[in-house]
Amino acid sequence: MSSSEGAPESWISSFCSLMGHEFFAEVSEDFIEDDFNLTGLQSQVPMYKEALEMILDVEPEEDEDEEEDEEEEEDDDEILGDEKPPGYRRAGDRRHARVASDLSVIESSAELLYGLIHQRYITSRPGIQQMLEKYEMQHFGVCPRVYCNGCKVLPVGRSDTPGQETVKLFCPSCQDLYTPPNSRFHSVDGAFFGTTFGCLFFMTFPDLDIGPRLDNSFVSPRSSSVNNQGLANVPPAHQPAEINGMRTANFCPGLGPGKIYESRIYGFRVSERSRTGPRMKWLRMRPTDVGELDEMARYEATHREGNNDGDTEMGAAPAGGAQNAAIARRKKAPMRRRRYNPDQMSINGAEAG
Amino acid sequence: MMEDFNSETDSDYTSYWRDWFISSRGNEYFCEIDEEYLTDRFNLTGLNTEVAYYQYALDLVTDVFDLDADDDLREQIEKSARHLYGLIHARYIVTTRGLAKMVDKYKKGDFGKCPRVMCEGQPLLPMGQHDIANMSTVRLYCAKCEDLYNPKSSRHASIDGAYFGASFPSMLFQVYPGLAPEKSITRYEPRIYGFRVHAAAALARWQDQYREDMKARLRDVGMEAKYVEDEEVDDEEDDDDEDQILDSKERVVGDAVSGSMDLGI
């Protein structure tokens, strides 16, 4: 938002520096110039061509006179709201030739188009990388949930169609969605980030540490010992390194026993059987032994123990004791390691660009 | 009697210290403690060891402060008075009158709205994680998701949680069970290009099972755990629906079968 007279900002950087647009990454011009990346957007955005020109700062005509400029500036202000920083207006200066009303339509079209391109861009390799930098600098804030210990969050949408819902924040630690605390984000369209981005981001960077960031000091020894309530908080020894394609250490570290609020009165837990007793623990629950989430292994285990009558496939096969032992061994072996290689991923046609 | 105090502390000083306290910025979560409650020494049992300049602080809170103290001392007494007020506040808000006052504030949404999207703006309640001072700051309890959140404003983030106490929300809903919101089983499902993600979906199935176990446990003792979704006639398409639990179990079985084929069985 610096108002250096010398180098005029591009439309994209001035858009991204607007108040409330802090979550946006600056889409590279290369990405926008590749028509493949814009497939289908023409039908979604009115005045598509003009909007695209505006985003790319392509000047349709040359300068005219100064007076008209000033008029436009004022119109711009009125229509687009008064919080626009000076840099924004200066960017507007360069689009003189159009009628003011036209301009505002194009301006809003350009914002829509940019948002939709942005939704695609941040799932592409350069885009997701850019968002990683923003994420690591904590540009998106932290989870408001106490037991998530200030885990960094990511902006996501609940819909890929614009105009439905505003941007939300996804916390990888509790796998839940939160409203941004600052009201200036309550007018940013969620579709500009899209439904895919949040999850794809954490699968793209599986080693990103999402564990507790703040001091654990608020959990005093007293309260943590009370929280145990007979549940063994320590997971059994042989935890797989990965569970269902995620690093165990990064799999919902904010959930599970000890990370769940317990309703208490004068130190005594409120019983489940109370009318107002706890009903939502499941939402923040996670098995202490993540192996329980390995549904395949669990199925095999129950199958082996409880079913030798031959009414399923296992029974149909010649299921000898030796084979059962083999299954048990395989079940105990660490999960097949899936390698996440960011270089191998090919997302959303980004490679075409 | 109040003149010297008046000139020292605040220019827009109203008639009572407590009025000033609860209306000052950052103290929006506090309610006003009755004079009667404050003057009953029984209610203050044990606090004299917690608070420095206890008697002066209490005098200040009850508007009978009449000491010609220098600025430093006055400042300390003022600080003690705020601390004392907070500690009494924690006791007061679990009394009948205190609860009623806090319920009013709760209904007005004075404590903010739950940031969780699925809670749809459920009003919050302040509480502490500890009853002892200087252990943790104030948290906000959402009765819909039964979870704790940090206040979004930094001016609230520095308030001591002990000024509200760990029992307060639970006590409030014991006394006013009708105020407890309906619980919902709706949750966020992470998706990639419309497809649910295995790790999150497996956890969701596990959590659903956990909830079903709890419901069964309660049913055994003749109680019903109600969720909003139970009352609606659900459309079959939604994977989150209660009646789908059985279906999803079957699906899990199916998945496991194909999984076992991967292993070459």
Side-chain angles (χ1 to χ4, degrees), chain A residues 2 36 46 65 74 101 127 135 144 155 162 164 192 222 232-233 235 247 318 325:
Chain A
S2 66
F36 179 79
D65 56 320
E74 279 159 29
S101 64
Y135 178 79
Q164 307 237 315
F192 296 171
R222 178 186 145 271
N233 268 347
R247 295 271 186 284

Side-chain angles (χ1 to χ4, degrees), chain A residues 144-146 176-177 179 181 195-196 199 261 263 266 272-274 276 279-280 282 284-285 292 295, chain B residues 115-117 129 141 146-150 152 167 170 174 191 193 197 205-207 210 217 223 227:
Chain A
R145 187 170 170 264
V146 169
D176 213 336
L177 223 49
T179 309
T195 56
T196 298
C199 215
Y261 168 70
S263 175
Y266 301 130
E272 193 171 75
R273 299 187 186 185
S274 158
T276 53
R279 294 287 181 271
M280 296 298 285
W282 57 272
R284 304 305 194 193
M285 198 40 104
E292 282 184 47
E295 291 166 334
Chain B
R116 184 171 172 264
V117 172
Q129 285 181 298
Y141 171 75
E146 297 176 1
D147 211 339
L148 296 186
Y149 298 97
N150 292 311
K152 63 181 184 181
S167 309
S170 311
Q174 288 291 321
R191 282 171 190 261
Y193 300 121
V197 181
R205 282 190 288 269
W206 186 90
Q207 289 175 335
Y210 187 91
R217 245 183 351 256
M223 287 193 67
Y227 295 92

Side-chain angles (χ1 to χ4, degrees), chain B residues 243-254:
Chain B
D243 358 295
Q244 293 287 306
I245 300 292
L246 285 174
D247 285 359
S248 71
K249 263 188 221 154
E250 279 165 27
R251 232 179 287 132
V252 172
V253 171

Side-chain angles (χ1 to χ4, degrees), chain A residues 112-125:
Chain A
L112 174 65
L113 179 61
Y114 184 80
L116 292 173
I117 297 172
H118 185 264
Q119 181 202 102
R120 298 177 177 192
Y121 177 70
I122 55 174
T123 58
S124 75
R125 202 194 316 174

Side-chain angles (χ1 to χ4, degrees), chain A residues 150-332:
Chain A
C151 180
K152 282 178 281 193
V153 291
L154 210 58
V156 297
R158 288 184 75 196
S159 161
D160 289 319
T161 318
Q164 307 237 315
E165 273 194 76
T166 60
V167 67
K168 307 292 179 213
L169 299 170
F170 172 67
C171 171
S173 184
C174 56
Q175 302 255 345
D176 213 336
L177 223 49
Y178 298 97
T179 309
N182 197 317
S183 59
R184 67 166 166 243
F185 299 114
H186 296 179
S187 56
V188 178
D189 199 318
F192 296 171
F193 297 88
T195 56
T196 298
F197 170 64
C199 215
L200 188 67
F201 181 88
F202 291 105
M203 298 191 96
T204 307
F205 306 109
D207 292 318
L208 209 59
D209 185 22
I210 59 165
R213 293 182 46 258
L214 307 175
D215 271 346
N216 258 3
S217 54
F218 79 92
V219 185
S220 75
R222 178 186 145 271
S223 72
S224 64
S225 70
V226 195
N227 271 340
N228 274 336
Q229 42 143 330
L231 278 164
N233 268 347
V234 189
H238 303 290
Q239 291 290 287
E242 283 183 12
I243 183 72
N244 297 335
M246 281 182 89
R247 295 271 186 284
T248 303
N250 273 344
F251 181 62
C252 303
L255 302 184
K259 308 276 178 57
I260 298 174
Y261 168 70
E262 286 203 310
S263 175
R264 281 168 189 271
I265 295 179
Y266 301 130
F268 298 98
R269 268 181 286 139
V270 175
S271 166
E272 193 171 75
R273 299 187 186 185
S274 158
R275 198 179 143 196
T276 53
R279 294 287 181 271
M280 296 298 285
K281 282 187 167 183
W282 57 272
L283 180 68
R284 304 305 194 193
M285 198 40 104
R286 191 191 92 140
T288 314
D289 174 10
V290 292
E292 282 184 47
L293 294 175
D294 192 348
E295 291 166 334
M296 188 182 79
R298 265 176 71 204
Y299 169 75
E300 280 172 6
T302 54
H303 186 91
R304 183 170 55 97
E305 285 157 15
N307 192 346
N308 283 320
D309 287 346
D311 60 341
T312 56
E313 283 194 11
M314 251 305 277
Q323 193 176 354
N324 281 347
I327 295 165
R329 262 201 308 280
R330 229 175 266 137
K331 188 168 67 75
K332 274 177 193 141

